[in-house]
Amino acid sequence: MLRWIVRQYLTGYRGEGLQKNQLYMAIFWIPYILIAMPAACGYYNSVPEACCYYTLAIPMGVCFYVAYINPVRMPKMMYLCPLDCSMRRSYIRGACWFRIGFHTSLAVIGALCSLGFGNDWLGALGSAISTFLFSVLCIDMDGLGSPKNTIDGCVENLGKIMVRFMGMVLAFILEEIFIFAAKSGGVLAQDRWEQIIIGIMTAIILLLSIRYMAYLKEMQEEALCYEKTV
């Protein structure tokens, strides 16, 4: 099962069935995150600042990239030689947790590396948590198909879209706050009111992530039924 999950994750980058608008969005955001943003914020003023930026920004950039071009998909073999419901459920759950675990591992490695470039332990921990929550919100099951093509279905999906959008935007902003704080010594070096704002934003993103996980469970159950899958 793990071999199928890893293979499907890697083959998703080949662009099979990739929508052009998704690809264009990814191509736009990659230079923005890797080049434009650090240049505009002055992270190229010194090597440690640039290294600190990239160690924290790249893991979240990977999550964002995967969210647009590589949603969770069922391998074609599972449709040609269908497995039972429990095996399909195990695959979908495994695919989601593999992505979350892999992207969070990148974030932890980046956070640990940032400690050597001026960040503090609280900033590193907060950055890893922010990317973890972002990776949850980045899980996209559109590749499994959706039975909700009616007007009522679109209205029902609006809640999921809003929760995901708000969570991703807030998590992205929070990560930028952590990166900017690392530039000046970390979260502990910031004013008390700034620390309170960081705590409030983290709590809001956590609540949105929990709500989105409920939506993911619903989408997973829909995908288990071939009759509903487009």
Side-chain angles (χ1 to χ4, degrees):
M1 185 67 70
L2 179 60
R3 179 171 57 87
W4 285 351
I5 292 173
V6 175
R7 177 181 297 178
Q8 185 64 32
Y9 178 83
L10 296 177
T11 56
Y13 290 103
R14 297 178 182 176
E16 181 180 356
L18 184 64
Q19 298 294 327
K20 288 185 177 181
N21 60 333
Q22 294 175 326
L23 182 59
Y24 293 155
M25 181 64 72
I27 291 175
F28 169 79
W29 278 106
I30 289 175
Y32 175 77
I33 293 174
L34 296 182
I35 300 175
M37 181 176 290
C41 296
Y43 291 105
Y44 290 149
N45 293 334
S46 67
V47 173
E49 289 183 3
C51 292
C52 188
Y53 173 84
Y54 284 118
T55 56
L56 298 179
I58 287 179
M60 182 162 283
V62 172
C63 292
F64 194 82
Y65 182 73
V66 172
Y68 273 98
I69 74 163
N70 192 6
V72 176
R73 293 183 175 91
M74 290 279 283
K76 292 181 179 179
M77 185 58 65
M78 286 191 175
Y79 291 104
L80 298 176
C81 302
L83 303 176
D84 58 34
C85 184
S86 63
M87 291 295 290
R88 296 197 300 272
R89 180 179 287 106
S90 297
Y91 174 83
I92 296 173
R93 287 179 177 175
C96 293
W97 284 112
F98 170 79
R99 290 163 182 257
I100 294 172
F102 177 67
H103 297 155
T104 303
S105 298
L106 293 179
V108 171
I109 294 173
L112 293 175
C113 292
S114 72
L115 294 174
F117 300 111
N119 200 8
D120 63 4
W121 68 269
L122 187 57
L125 178 63
S127 176
I129 293 174
S130 175
T131 305
F132 164 72
L133 297 177
F134 189 77
S135 67
V136 172
L137 294 163
C138 280
I139 296 296
D140 187 359
M141 292 190 179
D142 288 346
L144 295 173
S146 175
K148 298 178 180 178
N149 295 321
T150 63
I151 296 177
D152 293 338
C154 294
V155 173
E156 186 176 348
N157 274 330
L158 183 61
K160 178 193 71 175
I161 295 171
M162 292 302 297
V163 167
R164 188 180 187 223
F165 176 77
M166 289 188 298
M168 290 179 69
V169 169
L170 288 176
F172 186 83
I173 295 174
L174 181 62
E175 185 67 16
E176 290 303 313
I177 292 175
F178 282 123
I179 295 174
F180 187 79
K183 183 180 178 181
S184 57
V187 175
L188 294 176
Q190 309 307 308
D191 295 334
R192 180 66 63 183
W193 67 271
E194 293 176 317
Q195 297 173 356
I196 293 174
I197 291 177
I198 290 174
I200 293 174
M201 289 184 64
T202 303
I204 293 174
I205 298 168
L206 176 60
L207 293 176
L208 292 173
S209 300
I210 293 173
R211 184 66 187 97
Y212 187 68
M213 289 184 71
Y215 285 122
L216 288 177
K217 185 176 180 181
E218 295 175 3
M219 291 186 285
Q220 169 190 288
E221 293 304 318
E222 292 167 358
L224 294 175
C225 181
Y226 289 139
E227 289 78 11
K228 293 183 180 180
T229 303
V230 178

